[in-house]
Coordinates of all heavy atoms in Angstrom, one line a residue:
M25 N -52.8 78.4 170.6 CA -52.4 78.6 172.0 C -51.4 79.8 172.1 O -50.8 80.1 171.1 CB -52.0 77.4 172.7 CG -50.5 77.0 172.5 SD -50.0 76.1 173.9 CE -51.3 74.8 173.9
R26 N -51.3 80.3 173.3 CA -50.2 81.4 173.5 C -49.4 80.9 174.6 O -49.8 80.5 175.6 CB -51.0 82.7 173.9 CG -50.0 83.9 173.9 CD -50.7 85.3 174.0 NE -51.2 85.4 175.3 CZ -52.6 85.6 175.7 NH1 -53.5 85.5 174.8 NH2 -52.9 85.9 177.0
I27 N -48.0 81.1 174.4 CA -47.1 80.9 175.5 C -46.7 82.2 176.1 O -46.3 83.1 175.4 CB -45.8 80.2 174.9 CG1 -46.3 78.9 174.2 CG2 -44.9 79.8 176.0 CD1 -45.2 78.3 173.3
E28 N -46.8 82.2 177.4 CA -46.3 83.5 178.1 C -45.3 83.1 179.1 O -45.3 82.2 179.8 CB -47.6 84.1 178.9 CG -48.6 84.6 178.1 CD -49.8 85.2 179.0 OE1 -49.8 85.1 180.1 OE2 -50.6 85.9 178.3
Y29 N -44.2 84.0 179.0 CA -43.1 83.8 180.0 C -43.2 84.9 181.1 O -43.2 86.0 180.7 CB -41.8 83.9 179.2 CG -41.4 82.8 178.3 CD1 -41.8 82.9 176.9 CD2 -40.8 81.7 178.8 CE1 -41.5 81.8 176.1 CE2 -40.5 80.6 177.9 CZ -40.8 80.7 176.5 OH -40.6 79.7 175.7
W30 N -43.3 84.4 182.3 CA -43.4 85.4 183.4 C -42.2 85.3 184.3 O -41.6 84.1 184.6 CB -44.7 85.0 184.3 CG -45.9 85.2 183.5 CD1 -46.5 84.3 182.8 CD2 -46.7 86.5 183.7 NE1 -47.8 85.0 182.4 CE2 -47.8 86.3 182.8 CE3 -46.4 87.7 184.3 CZ2 -48.7 87.2 182.6 CZ3 -47.5 88.7 183.9 CH2 -48.5 88.6 183.1
C31 N -41.7 86.3 184.7 CA -40.7 86.3 185.7 C -41.2 85.8 187.1 O -42.1 86.5 187.6 CB -40.0 87.8 185.9 SG -38.7 87.8 187.1
G32 N -40.5 84.8 187.7 CA -40.9 84.3 188.9 C -40.7 85.2 190.1 O -41.1 85.0 191.2
H33 N -39.9 86.2 189.9 CA -39.4 87.1 191.0 C -40.4 88.4 191.1 O -40.9 88.7 192.1 CB -38.0 87.4 190.9 CG -37.1 86.2 190.9 ND1 -37.0 85.6 192.2 CD2 -36.3 85.6 190.1 CE1 -36.2 84.4 191.9 NE2 -35.8 84.5 190.7
C34 N -40.4 89.0 190.0 CA -41.1 90.4 189.9 C -42.4 90.2 189.1 O -43.1 91.2 189.0 CB -40.2 91.4 189.3 SG -39.8 91.2 187.5
K35 N -42.8 89.1 188.7 CA -44.1 89.0 187.9 C -44.1 89.7 186.7 O -45.3 90.1 186.3 CB -45.3 89.2 189.0 CG -45.2 88.5 190.3 CD -45.2 86.9 190.1 CE -45.1 86.3 191.5 NZ -44.5 85.0 191.4
H36 N -43.2 90.1 186.2 CA -43.1 90.8 184.9 C -43.2 89.9 183.7 O -42.8 88.8 183.7 CB -41.7 91.6 184.8 CG -41.6 92.4 183.6 ND1 -42.1 93.6 183.4 CD2 -40.8 92.1 182.4 CE1 -41.8 94.0 182.2 NE2 -41.0 93.2 181.6
L37 N -44.1 90.4 182.8 CA -44.3 89.5 181.5 C -43.1 89.7 180.8 O -42.9 90.8 180.2 CB -45.6 89.9 180.9 CG -45.9 89.1 179.6 CD1 -46.1 87.7 179.9 CD2 -47.2 89.7 178.8
V38 N -42.3 88.7 180.6 CA -41.0 88.7 179.9 C -41.2 88.6 178.4 O -40.6 89.3 177.6 CB -40.1 87.6 180.4 CG1 -38.8 87.6 179.6 CG2 -39.8 87.7 181.9
G39 N -42.1 87.7 178.0 CA -42.3 87.7 176.5 C -43.5 86.7 176.2 O -44.0 86.0 177.2
Q40 N -44.0 86.7 175.1 CA -45.0 85.7 174.7 C -45.0 85.4 173.2 O -44.4 86.1 172.5 CB -46.4 86.4 175.0 CG -46.6 87.7 174.4 CD -48.1 88.1 174.8 OE1 -49.1 87.4 174.7 NE2 -48.2 89.4 175.2
V41 N -45.4 84.2 173.0 CA -45.4 83.6 171.7 C -46.8 83.2 171.3 O -47.4 82.4 172.1 CB -44.4 82.3 171.6 CG1 -44.3 81.8 170.1 CG2 -43.0 82.7 172.1
N42 N -47.3 83.6 170.2 CA -48.6 83.2 169.7 C -48.4 82.1 168.6 O -47.8 82.5 167.6 CB -49.3 84.4 169.2 CG -50.0 85.3 170.2 OD1 -50.9 84.8 170.9 ND2 -49.6 86.5 170.3
C43 N -49.0 81.0 168.8 CA -48.8 79.9 167.8 C -50.2 79.3 167.9 O -50.3 78.1 168.5 CB -47.7 79.1 168.1 SG -47.3 79.0 169.8
P44 N -51.3 79.7 167.3 CA -52.5 79.2 167.3 C -52.7 77.8 167.0 O -53.6 77.1 167.4 CB -53.3 80.1 166.4 CG -52.5 81.3 166.0 CD -51.1 80.9 166.3
E45 N -51.9 77.3 166.0 CA -52.1 76.0 165.4 C -51.4 74.9 166.3 O -51.5 73.7 166.0 CB -51.5 75.9 164.0 CG -50.0 75.9 163.9 CD -49.4 77.3 164.0 OE1 -50.1 78.3 164.4 OE2 -48.2 77.5 163.7
W46 N -50.6 75.2 167.3 CA -50.0 74.4 168.1 C -50.7 73.5 169.2 O -51.7 74.1 169.7 CB -48.7 75.0 168.9 CG -47.6 75.3 168.0 CD1 -47.5 75.2 166.7 CD2 -46.3 75.9 168.5 NE1 -46.3 75.6 166.3 CE2 -45.5 76.0 167.4 CE3 -45.9 76.1 169.8 CZ2 -44.2 76.4 167.5 CZ3 -44.6 76.5 169.9 CH2 -43.7 76.7 168.8
T47 N -50.4 72.3 169.3 CA -51.0 71.6 170.4 C -50.2 71.9 171.7 O -49.1 72.4 171.6 CB -51.0 70.1 170.2 OG1 -49.7 69.6 170.1 CG2 -51.8 69.8 168.8
L48 N -50.7 71.4 172.8 CA -50.0 71.6 174.0 C -48.6 70.9 174.1 O -47.6 71.3 174.4 CB -50.9 71.1 175.3 CG -50.2 71.2 176.6 CD1 -49.9 72.7 177.0 CD2 -51.1 70.7 177.7
E49 N -48.6 69.8 173.5 CA -47.5 69.0 173.3 C -46.3 69.7 172.4 O -45.1 69.7 172.8 CB -47.8 67.6 172.7 CG -46.7 66.5 172.8 CD -47.1 65.2 172.1 OE1 -47.7 64.5 172.9 OE2 -46.9 65.0 171.0
Q50 N -46.8 70.2 171.4 CA -45.8 70.9 170.6 C -45.2 72.1 171.3 O -44.1 72.5 171.1 CB -46.4 71.4 169.2 CG -46.7 70.3 168.3 CD -47.6 70.8 167.0 OE1 -48.6 71.3 167.2 NE2 -47.0 70.4 165.9
A51 N -46.2 72.9 172.0 CA -45.6 74.1 172.7 C -44.7 73.6 173.7 O -43.7 74.3 174.0 CB -46.8 74.7 173.3
E52 N -44.9 72.6 174.5 CA -43.9 72.2 175.5 C -42.7 71.7 175.0 O -41.7 72.0 175.6 CB -44.8 70.9 176.3 CG -45.9 71.3 177.0 CD -45.9 70.7 178.5 OE1 -45.1 69.8 178.7 OE2 -46.9 71.1 179.3
R53 N -42.7 71.1 173.8 CA -41.4 70.6 173.2 C -40.7 71.9 172.7 O -39.5 72.0 172.9 CB -41.7 69.7 172.0 CG -40.5 68.9 171.5 CD -40.8 67.9 170.6 NE -41.8 66.8 171.2 CZ -42.7 66.3 170.6 NH1 -42.8 66.4 169.2 NH2 -43.4 65.4 171.2
F54 N -41.4 72.9 172.2 CA -40.7 74.1 171.8 C -40.1 74.9 172.9 O -39.0 75.4 172.7 CB -41.9 75.1 171.2 CG -41.3 76.5 170.8 CD1 -40.7 76.7 169.6 CD2 -41.5 77.5 171.7 CE1 -40.1 77.9 169.4 CE2 -41.0 78.8 171.4 CZ -40.4 79.0 170.2
C55 N -40.6 74.9 174.0 CA -40.1 75.5 175.2 C -39.1 74.6 176.0 O -38.5 75.1 177.1 CB -41.3 75.9 176.1 SG -42.4 77.1 175.4
G56 N -39.0 73.3 175.5 CA -38.1 72.5 176.2 C -38.7 71.9 177.5 O -38.0 71.4 178.5
L57 N -40.0 72.1 177.7 CA -40.6 71.8 179.0 C -40.6 70.2 179.2 O -40.8 69.8 180.3 CB -42.1 72.3 179.1 CG -42.1 73.8 178.9 CD1 -43.6 74.3 179.0 CD2 -41.4 74.5 180.0
H58 N -40.5 69.5 178.2 CA -40.7 68.0 178.3 C -39.5 67.4 179.0 O -39.4 66.2 179.4 CB -40.8 67.4 177.0 CG -39.8 67.7 175.9 ND1 -39.5 68.9 175.5 CD2 -38.9 66.9 175.4 CE1 -38.6 68.8 174.6 NE2 -38.0 67.7 174.6
T59 N -38.4 68.3 179.1 CA -37.1 67.8 179.8 C -37.2 68.0 181.3 O -36.3 67.6 182.0 CB -36.0 68.5 179.2 OG1 -35.9 69.8 179.6 CG2 -35.8 68.3 177.7
L60 N -38.2 68.9 181.8 CA -38.3 69.0 183.2 C -38.9 67.9 183.9 O -39.5 67.1 183.4 CB -39.3 70.3 183.5 CG -39.0 71.6 182.9 CD1 -40.2 72.6 183.1 CD2 -37.7 72.2 183.4
S61 N -38.4 67.8 185.2 CA -38.9 66.8 186.2 C -40.4 67.1 186.4 O -40.7 68.3 186.3 CB -38.1 66.6 187.4 OG -38.4 67.7 188.2
P62 N -41.2 66.1 186.8 CA -42.6 66.4 187.2 C -42.8 67.6 188.2 O -43.7 68.4 188.3 CB -43.2 65.1 187.7 CG -42.3 64.1 187.0 CD -41.0 64.7 186.9
V63 N -41.8 67.6 189.2 CA -41.8 68.6 190.2 C -41.5 70.0 189.7 O -42.2 70.9 190.0 CB -40.8 68.2 191.4 CG1 -40.8 69.4 192.3 CG2 -41.1 66.9 192.0
E64 N -40.5 70.1 188.8 CA -40.2 71.3 188.2 C -41.3 71.7 187.3 O -41.7 73.0 187.3 CB -38.9 71.2 187.4 CG -37.6 70.9 188.2 CD -36.5 70.6 187.3 OE1 -36.6 69.9 186.3 OE2 -35.3 70.9 187.7
H65 N -41.8 70.8 186.6 CA -42.9 71.1 185.8 C -44.2 71.8 186.4 O -44.7 72.7 186.1 CB -43.3 69.9 184.9 CG -44.2 70.2 183.8 ND1 -45.6 70.5 183.9 CD2 -43.9 70.2 182.4 CE1 -46.0 70.7 182.6 NE2 -45.0 70.5 181.7
S66 N -44.6 71.2 187.6 CA -45.6 71.6 188.4 C -45.4 73.0 189.1 O -46.2 73.8 189.2 CB -46.1 70.7 189.4 OG -45.1 70.5 190.4
E67 N -44.0 73.3 189.2 CA -43.8 74.6 189.8 C -43.6 75.7 188.7 O -43.9 76.9 189.1 CB -42.4 74.5 190.5 CG -42.5 73.8 191.9 CD -41.2 73.7 192.6 OE1 -40.2 74.3 192.1 OE2 -41.1 73.0 193.7
W68 N -43.1 75.4 187.6 CA -42.8 76.5 186.6 C -43.8 76.6 185.4 O -43.8 77.6 184.7 CB -41.5 76.1 186.0 CG -40.3 76.1 187.0 CD1 -40.3 76.6 188.3 CD2 -39.0 75.6 186.9 NE1 -39.2 76.4 189.0 CE2 -38.2 75.8 188.1 CE3 -38.4 74.9 185.7 CZ2 -36.9 75.4 188.2 CZ3 -37.0 74.6 185.9 CH2 -36.3 74.8 187.1
V69 N -44.6 75.6 185.3 CA -45.5 75.6 184.2 C -47.0 75.4 184.5 O -47.3 74.7 185.5 CB -45.2 74.5 183.3 CG1 -46.0 74.5 182.0 CG2 -43.7 74.4 183.0
A70 N -47.8 76.4 184.1 CA -49.2 76.3 184.2 C -49.9 76.5 183.0 O -49.6 77.2 182.1 CB -49.6 77.4 185.2
Y71 N -50.9 75.6 182.7 CA -51.7 75.6 181.5 C -53.1 76.0 181.8 O -53.8 75.4 182.6 CB -51.6 74.3 180.8 CG -52.3 74.4 179.4 CD1 -52.1 75.3 178.4 CD2 -53.3 73.4 179.1 CE1 -52.8 75.3 177.3 CE2 -54.0 73.4 177.9 CZ -53.7 74.3 177.0 OH -54.4 74.4 175.8
D72 N -53.6 77.1 181.1 CA -54.9 77.6 181.4 C -55.7 77.0 180.1 O -55.7 77.5 179.0 CB -55.0 79.1 181.3 CG -56.4 79.6 181.6 OD1 -57.4 78.9 181.3 OD2 -56.5 80.8 182.1
K73 N -56.5 75.9 180.4 CA -57.1 75.3 179.2 C -58.2 76.1 178.7 O -58.3 76.1 177.4 CB -57.8 74.0 179.7 CG -57.6 72.8 178.8 CD -58.3 71.5 179.4 CE -57.3 70.8 180.2 NZ -57.9 69.5 180.9
N74 N -58.9 76.9 179.4 CA -60.1 77.7 178.9 C -59.6 78.7 178.0 O -60.1 79.0 176.9 CB -60.8 78.4 180.1 CG -61.5 77.3 180.9 OD1 -61.9 76.2 180.4 ND2 -61.5 77.5 182.2
N75 N -58.5 79.4 178.3 CA -57.9 80.4 177.5 C -56.8 80.0 176.4 O -56.3 80.8 175.6 CB -57.3 81.6 178.4 CG -58.4 82.4 179.2 OD1 -59.6 82.5 178.7 ND2 -58.2 82.5 180.5
G76 N -56.4 78.8 176.6 CA -55.3 78.3 175.7 C -53.9 79.1 175.9 O -53.3 79.3 175.0
V77 N -53.7 79.4 177.2 CA -52.4 80.1 177.6 C -51.5 79.1 178.4 O -52.0 78.6 179.4 CB -52.7 81.3 178.4 CG1 -51.5 82.0 178.7 CG2 -53.6 82.2 177.5
L78 N -50.3 79.0 177.9 CA -49.3 78.2 178.6 C -48.4 79.2 179.3 O -47.6 80.0 178.7 CB -48.5 77.4 177.8 CG -47.5 76.3 178.4 CD1 -48.3 75.2 179.1 CD2 -46.6 75.8 177.2
S79 N -48.4 79.2 180.7 CA -47.6 80.1 181.5 C -46.3 79.5 181.9 O -46.4 78.4 182.6 CB -48.3 80.6 182.6 OG -49.5 81.3 182.2
V80 N -45.2 80.0 181.5 CA -43.9 79.5 182.0 C -43.2 80.4 182.8 O -43.0 81.5 182.4 CB -43.0 79.0 180.6 CG1 -41.8 78.4 181.0 CG2 -43.8 78.3 179.8
Q81 N -42.7 79.9 184.0 CA -42.0 80.8 184.8 C -40.5 80.9 184.5 O -39.9 79.8 184.2 CB -42.1 80.2 186.4 CG -41.6 81.3 187.3 CD -42.1 80.9 188.7 OE1 -43.2 80.7 189.0 NE2 -41.1 80.7 189.6
T82 N -39.9 82.1 184.4 CA -38.6 82.3 184.0 C -38.1 83.4 185.0 O -38.5 83.7 185.9 CB -38.5 82.6 182.6 OG1 -37.2 82.7 182.2 CG2 -39.2 83.8 182.3
V83 N -36.9 83.9 184.6 CA -36.2 85.1 185.3 C -35.9 86.1 184.2 O -35.3 85.9 183.2 CB -35.1 84.6 186.0 CG1 -34.4 85.7 186.7 CG2 -35.2 83.4 186.8
C84 N -36.5 87.3 184.5 CA -36.2 88.4 183.5 C -34.8 88.8 183.6 O -34.1 88.6 184.7 CB -37.2 89.5 183.7 SG -37.0 90.4 185.3
D85 N -34.4 89.6 182.7 CA -32.9 90.2 182.7 C -32.7 91.0 183.9 O -31.6 90.9 184.4 CB -32.8 91.0 181.4 CG -32.8 90.2 180.0 OD1 -32.7 88.9 180.3 OD2 -33.0 90.8 179.0
Y86 N -33.7 91.8 184.3 CA -33.5 92.6 185.5 C -33.1 91.9 186.7 O -32.2 92.0 187.4 CB -34.6 93.6 185.8 CG -34.5 94.4 187.0 CD1 -33.9 95.7 186.9 CD2 -35.1 94.0 188.2 CE1 -33.7 96.5 188.0 CE2 -34.9 94.6 189.3 CZ -34.2 95.9 189.3 OH -34.1 96.6 190.4
C87 N -34.0 90.8 187.0 CA -33.8 90.0 188.1 C -32.5 89.2 188.1 O -31.9 88.8 189.0 CB -35.0 89.1 188.3 SG -36.4 90.1 188.9
Q88 N -32.3 88.6 186.8 CA -31.1 87.9 186.6 C -29.8 88.7 187.0 O -29.0 88.1 187.7 CB -30.9 87.5 185.1 CG -29.8 86.5 184.8 CD -30.1 85.2 185.5 OE1 -31.1 84.5 185.4 NE2 -28.9 84.7 186.2
S89 N -29.7 89.9 186.6 CA -28.5 90.7 186.9 C -28.5 91.1 188.4 O -27.5 91.2 189.0 CB -28.5 91.9 186.0 OG -29.6 92.8 186.1
A90 N -29.8 91.3 189.0 CA -29.8 91.6 190.4 C -29.4 90.5 191.2 O -28.7 90.7 192.3 CB -31.3 92.0 190.7
I91 N -29.8 89.3 190.8 CA -29.3 88.1 191.5 C -27.8 87.9 191.4 O -27.2 87.5 192.3 CB -30.1 86.9 191.0 CG1 -31.5 86.9 191.4 CG2 -29.5 85.5 191.6 CD1 -32.5 86.0 190.6
E92 N -27.2 88.1 190.3 CA -25.9 87.9 190.0 C -25.1 88.9 190.9 O -24.0 88.6 191.4 CB -25.4 88.1 188.5 CG -25.8 86.9 187.8 CD -25.7 87.0 186.3 OE1 -25.3 88.2 185.9 OE2 -26.2 86.1 185.6
R93 N -25.6 90.3 191.1 CA -24.9 91.2 191.9 C -25.1 90.9 193.2 O -24.1 91.1 194.1 CB -25.5 92.6 191.5 CG -25.0 93.2 190.3 CD -25.2 94.8 190.3 NE -26.6 95.1 190.4 CZ -27.6 95.1 189.4 NH1 -27.2 94.9 188.3 NH2 -28.9 95.4 189.7
N94 N -26.3 90.5 193.7 CA -26.7 90.3 195.2 C -27.4 89.0 195.4 O -28.6 88.9 195.4 CB -27.6 91.4 195.6 CG -27.0 92.8 195.4 OD1 -26.0 93.1 196.0 ND2 -27.6 93.5 194.6
P95 N -26.5 87.9 195.3 CA -27.3 86.5 195.5 C -28.1 86.5 196.7 O -29.0 85.6 196.7 CB -26.0 85.6 195.5 CG -24.8 86.3 194.9 CD -25.1 87.8 195.3
E96 N -27.7 87.1 197.8 CA -28.5 87.0 199.0 C -29.9 87.5 198.7 O -30.8 87.1 199.6 CB -27.8 87.8 200.1 CG -27.9 89.3 200.1 CD -26.9 89.9 199.2 OE1 -26.2 89.1 198.5 OE2 -26.8 91.2 199.1
L97 N -30.2 88.3 197.8 CA -31.6 88.8 197.5 C -32.4 87.5 197.4 O -33.6 87.5 197.8 CB -31.7 89.6 196.3 CG -31.2 91.1 196.5 CD1 -31.1 91.8 195.1 CD2 -31.9 91.9 197.4
L98 N -32.0 86.6 196.7 CA -32.8 85.4 196.3 C -33.1 84.6 197.6 O -34.3 84.2 197.8 CB -31.9 84.6 195.4 CG -32.8 83.5 194.6 CD1 -33.8 84.1 193.7 CD2 -31.8 82.7 193.7
V99 N -32.2 84.6 198.5 CA -32.4 83.8 199.7 C -33.4 84.5 200.5 O -34.3 84.0 201.2 CB -31.0 83.7 200.5 CG1 -31.3 82.9 201.8 CG2 -30.1 83.0 199.6
E100 N -33.3 85.9 200.7 CA -34.2 86.6 201.5 C -35.7 86.8 200.9 O -36.6 87.2 201.5 CB -33.6 88.0 201.9 CG -32.4 87.8 202.6 CD -31.7 89.2 202.8 OE1 -32.3 90.2 202.4 OE2 -30.5 89.3 203.3
G101 N -35.7 86.5 199.6 CA -37.0 86.7 198.9 C -37.5 88.0 198.9 O -38.7 88.4 199.0
K102 N -36.6 89.0 198.8 CA -36.9 90.5 198.8 C -36.8 91.1 197.5 O -36.5 92.4 197.6 CB -36.1 91.1 199.9 CG -36.6 90.9 201.3 CD -35.6 91.7 202.3 CE -35.8 91.2 203.8 NZ -34.7 91.8 204.6
L103 N -36.6 90.5 196.5 CA -36.3 90.9 195.1 C -37.4 91.8 194.7 O -38.6 91.4 194.5 CB -36.0 89.8 194.2 CG -35.1 90.2 193.1 CD1 -33.9 90.9 193.5 CD2 -34.8 88.9 192.2
L104 N -37.2 93.2 194.5 CA -38.2 94.1 194.1 C -37.7 94.9 192.9 O -36.6 95.1 192.8 CB -38.6 95.1 195.2 CG -39.3 94.4 196.4 CD1 -39.6 95.4 197.6 CD2 -40.6 93.8 196.1
Q105 N -38.6 95.2 192.0 CA -38.1 95.8 190.8 C -38.6 97.3 190.9 O -39.6 97.6 191.4 CB -38.9 95.3 189.5 CG -38.2 95.8 188.3 CD -38.5 94.9 187.1 OE1 -39.3 94.1 187.2 NE2 -37.7 95.1 186.0
Ligands
LIG204 ZN1 -38.0 89.9 187.3

């Protein structure tokens, strides 16, 4: 399976990990996803069974620093790269 990290703000592909031998459970543990609440999990994590891709929503460095500089961007939902 492949794990992809996407920025939830600008939809930029932050990174990916290829680990063909992993089960979904192992991948979730590797990413720490088993510690998420069911609501957080459904919002941040998506698993494409057909392609074997686990998509995890995160925040890229660019958006992280933009949010730190201008926290109101997050509220207004106008974060653009
Ligand atoms: Zn971003």
Side-chain angles (χ1 to χ4, degrees):
M25 81 150 55
R26 189 167 82 240
I27 303 167
E28 293 180 347
Y29 290 92
W30 292 90
C31 176
H33 299 290
C34 66
K35 311 301 177 197
H36 178 75
L37 181 62
V38 178
Q40 54 181 317
V41 183
N42 279 300
C43 30
E45 74 278 14
W46 281 10
T47 63
L48 181 59
E49 193 178 275
Q50 286 174 307
E52 294 222 349
R53 197 167 301 148
F54 173 80
C55 298
L57 303 180
H58 59 293
T59 64
L60 296 175
S61 72
V63 174
E64 289 171 331
H65 196 281
S66 65
E67 282 180 7
W68 298 345
V69 185
Y71 181 55
D72 184 338
K73 216 178 278 180
N74 294 328
N75 297 315
V77 177
L78 186 70
S79 300
V80 183
Q81 192 170 301
T82 182
V83 181
C84 72
D85 290 344
Y86 176 86
C87 292
Q88 185 66 50
S89 60
I91 291 164
E92 282 167 8
R93 281 197 307 271
N94 303 295
E96 73 278 5
L97 286 176
L98 197 57
V99 179
E100 293 172 10
K102 287 182 190 165
L103 206 50
L104 296 171
Q105 195 158 9

